[in-house]
Amino acid sequence: MGQQEKVSTSLAGAVSEGISASLAAVDAELDRRYPGDPGTRQPVHTVYVPGNVFDAGTIRSWGDQALAALDEHAPDAASFAAVLGLSDDLAEDVYGRVRAKLEREPIEDLRVDFEDGYAGQDEDQDAARAARLISEAYANGTAAPYMGIRMKCMEAAVRDRGIRTTDVFLTGLLENGGLPDGLVLTLPKVTYPEQVSAFVRLLESFEKAHGLDAGRLGFEIQIETSQAILAADGTATVARMIGAAEGRATGLHYGTFDYSACLGVSAAHQASDHPAADHAKAIMQVAAAGTGVRVSDGSTNVLPVGSTAHVHEAWRLHYGLTRRALSRAYYQGWDMHPGHIPTRYAAVFAFYREGFETAAKRLSAYANHAGGDVMDEPATAKALSSYLLRGLQCGALDTAEVDALTGMTRADVERFAAPRRGDLTATAQ
């Protein structure tokens, strides 16, 4: 070692202590408001099924219908790749993984719908039945990883009905074995933060009535009105909604058609790639960043049904919209029909397969201080590991191949993907 340099300072230790004391409240606020990603699995999509239609065979039925669509309209990897423009080196792998996914886990997140899609005659009975069937599905291993309901909103005309359905459903879950870990509630058409606060009070009351841990029940906020993005005073309402949820918000879901209609977009142009949609989702994304609240894209209403030519056209549209969303860091979207699932998984799997090798090698180089042709920052290491972890969670990637290319265990990848404050900086030094 060379000669040690003399190190001198000019400020007393009291200066640093005083600055830290002055920022103590800010430090606490950062930890409270911006805890970072929770590190749990985020489903790649949400499927909603009307409460009067949902039954014990719904998930398997969607998978079977999706497989039948492949058999009829793209019976092999080459034909599927030709429709979607998949490269030759990806075609067989993606097609095989899609079929395996449809057989093993066709739906990652299912919402039994008691809002726009509901047309039943006895909502109490349908909500109670949904609770029983979801409980049975978790008990017998046929459930999707995430399941729950979308109740009616907090607007005056349907508020009492939405509150009652939520109560009936949650009570039914408790009576049939308890609240499952994958439980998700979706509150639609939220316009004011006060509506979020009201829903928080409802969940608090339910928890107290049953002796549940405070905060046990979380929920997604569906963004379907212009006022949810921009308030009358010019502030970003959605940011205030996250605060109003008091730590219970798990997601912000974009409602493509209600939001577009609210802005006067004509029906023919209501789509998730419309400039109005891009603006709304960008505001949602910035508001949610660092809070642990995930953002989900909306859906397309162009259904892959009818002639093979029309199915292929609808598949190309859905695949393109999904790939576009993924590139913009919207890792979840809504699917409206079993025929959408093959292209949902094809887009997701291709997205992760295409970038897998580069991401793995970059993360390995960063973790081992090996350098390379890209100088990555700690935050980029987090993005790289999150990318790999998402690919593993949905089935696009296998643990063995990630281990082989990164030289890291899955636990190592998870640590990089969801670090505690300061962990990555320490690793990089």
Side-chain angles (χ1 to χ4, degrees):
M1 293 181 64
Q3 181 180 353
Q4 293 289 312
E5 295 289 344
K6 178 184 178 182
V7 177
S8 302
T9 62
S10 302
L11 301 177
V15 174
S16 178
E17 294 171 2
I19 290 173
S20 292
S22 72
L23 291 175
V26 170
D27 294 339
E29 184 76 349
L30 279 171
D31 288 338
R32 184 180 72 83
R33 286 189 178 273
Y34 302 103
D37 190 87
T40 55
R41 176 182 180 180
Q42 181 180 10
V44 302
H45 71 166
T46 299
V47 162
Y48 75 84
V49 177
N52 55 300
V53 173
F54 174 68
D55 61 32
T58 292
I59 294 175
R60 187 61 264 155
S61 174
W62 273 58
D64 291 343
Q65 289 179 70
L67 285 165
L70 282 178
D71 290 340
E72 180 176 358
H73 303 293
D76 53 46
S79 57
F80 196 49
V83 173
L84 304 182
L86 291 170
S87 61
D88 292 342
D89 60 326
L90 282 178
E92 290 287 349
D93 191 13
V94 168
Y95 189 75
R97 287 176 185 272
V98 168
R99 293 196 69 98
K101 180 77 168 181
L102 294 175
E103 292 167 356
R104 181 184 75 255
E105 188 181 73
I107 294 176
E108 291 198 359
D109 184 27
L110 186 145
R111 209 69 70 249
V112 182
D113 190 27
F114 290 95
E115 203 232 354
D116 285 348
Y118 180 69
Q121 300 301 310
D122 191 334
E123 191 161 333
D124 277 359
Q125 284 296 306
D126 289 336
R129 183 169 59 90
R132 175 177 56 81
L133 292 175
I134 287 175
S135 295
E136 291 173 355
Y138 277 107
N140 64 29
T142 61
Y146 298 94
M147 298 183 76
I149 65 168
R150 178 171 71 169
M151 69 291 296
K152 290 178 173 62
C153 69
M154 288 286 106
E155 293 179 357
V158 294
R159 182 183 303 138
D160 288 345
R161 181 66 258 180
I163 291 171
R164 182 173 175 84
T165 295
T166 303
D167 187 7
V168 169
F169 175 70
L170 293 176
T171 300
L173 290 178
L174 290 179
E175 291 175 346
N176 286 278
L179 303 179
D181 290 339
L183 174 65
V184 188
L185 305 174
T186 303
L187 180 64
K189 292 184 175 62
V190 183
T191 302
Y192 284 85
E194 289 81 0
Q195 293 168 329
V196 173
S197 296
F199 198 65
V200 169
R201 301 288 85 79
L202 170 63
L203 299 183
E204 283 180 339
S205 297
F206 189 88
E207 289 166 349
K208 291 176 181 176
H210 292 279
L212 301 174
D213 291 340
R216 170 64 180 85
L217 295 166
F219 61 98
E220 302 165 336
I221 301 169
Q222 199 158 16
I223 305 300
E224 302 176 87
T225 68
S226 60
Q227 297 92 340
I229 296 298
L230 190 68
D233 62 1
T235 59
T237 316
V238 66
R240 294 169 55 208
M241 289 177 178
I242 293 173
E246 300 178 24
R248 294 177 184 266
T250 59
L252 300 175
H253 285 234
Y254 177 67
T256 305
F257 307 105
D258 282 286
Y259 187 87
S260 298
C262 182
L263 268 63
V265 178
S266 62
H269 298 284
Q270 292 176 1
S272 62
D273 60 350
H274 189 280
D278 285 341
H279 172 261
K281 286 179 287 188
I283 299 298
M284 292 162 59
Q285 190 174 49
V286 173
T291 65
V293 177
R294 271 90 175 251
V295 174
S296 173
D297 198 3
S299 58
T300 175
N301 60 0
V302 179
L303 304 185
V305 296
S307 68
T308 294
H310 179 75
V311 169
H312 286 181
E313 182 180 357
W315 273 352
R316 280 189 290 270
L317 173 65
H318 185 245
Y319 178 87
L321 290 173
T322 304
R323 287 300 305 261
R324 183 180 189 272
L326 289 167
S327 70
R328 286 158 171 76
Y330 307 129
Y331 298 114
Q332 184 176 355
W334 282 60
D335 290 328
M336 300 180 68
H337 187 274
H340 285 141
I341 308 181
T343 39
R344 169 69 62 182
Y345 290 132
V348 170
F349 293 168
F351 176 75
Y352 290 111
R353 300 296 308 173
E354 286 172 357
F356 158 56
E357 185 172 339
T358 298
K361 290 180 177 179
R362 283 177 65 180
L363 182 61
S364 177
Y366 176 88
N368 294 300
H369 309 284
D373 58 0
V374 180
M375 183 179 292
D376 285 321
E377 298 283 344
T380 303
K382 177 182 177 180
L384 291 167
S385 53
S386 295
Y387 174 88
L388 296 175
L389 186 58
R390 289 178 187 278
L392 286 166
Q393 290 169 338
C394 70
L397 306 176
D398 300 323
T399 300
E401 62 182 348
V402 173
D403 290 352
L405 271 185
T406 61
M408 301 164 62
T409 66
R410 179 159 178 166
D412 292 330
V413 174
E414 290 174 346
R415 179 174 61 84
F416 275 95
R420 294 181 299 273
R421 194 179 299 279
D423 275 0
L424 287 183
T425 302
T427 302
Q429 292 175 348

